[in-house]
Amino acid sequence: MTTQAPSEIPESQVATVPDQETASLQAPDTEPVLDSFPLLDHRTRSRAISRRLAPFGHYLALADNGTEWLVPLASKVIHIGRGLTSDVRIEEQRVSRSHAILVRHGHGTRLLDNRSANGTFVNGRPIIATNIADGDVIRLGPVVMTYLQVS
């Protein structure tokens, strides 16, 4: 048995959608939180070390009243967000439960936005997925941190 589409639909049954412009993707109007270290949960804060004590490796750097703290990125895949299962947990309402994912592969590192509500930005630009390098500034919603490679 086959079905056929009607050859012509009466104009009275066709819904029209008014033309609307799509909003451009921009950084949120919220002020960035530069001293973001206090927003980390206790488990993530307890792993943080001072920059002068940091061995070779990959880190997220967060500030706290002029002091820079490094959170080590020990595994190849790091989930960053507000959720309880996140590897780097940020206690800020404008950060999604699973906001972003950091993936280390070969000699590079890739940052992926995980369908977050307030966006992921690298050096001020909105991203969906991008390679990041030493010194890149990452912003998850209003929370600012820096990707560092200590070598």
Side-chain angles (χ1 to χ4, degrees), residues 11-91:
E11 197 169 315
S12 61
Q13 293 180 354
V14 176
T16 59
V17 178
D19 290 337
Q20 295 178 355
E21 292 208 20
T22 304
S24 62
L25 184 58
Q26 297 176 352
D29 293 335
T30 58
E31 284 293 315
V33 178
L34 299 177
D35 280 349
S36 51
F37 182 74
L39 297 175
L40 296 177
D41 76 325
H42 68 282
R43 180 180 49 131
T44 307
R45 271 196 312 262
S46 68
R47 291 191 329 238
I49 57 175
S50 171
R51 185 172 186 151
R52 61 184 173 84
L53 299 175
F56 297 145
H58 302 265
Y59 299 90
L60 286 178
L62 296 103
D64 181 26
N65 292 327
T67 305
E68 186 177 50
W69 292 96
L70 303 183
V71 176
L73 304 175
S75 63
K76 298 270 185 201
V77 178
I78 304 288
H79 293 266
I80 307 170
R82 189 172 37 91
L84 295 173
T85 59
S86 295
D87 300 308
V88 176
R89 187 162 177 257
I90 302 169
E91 294 176 338

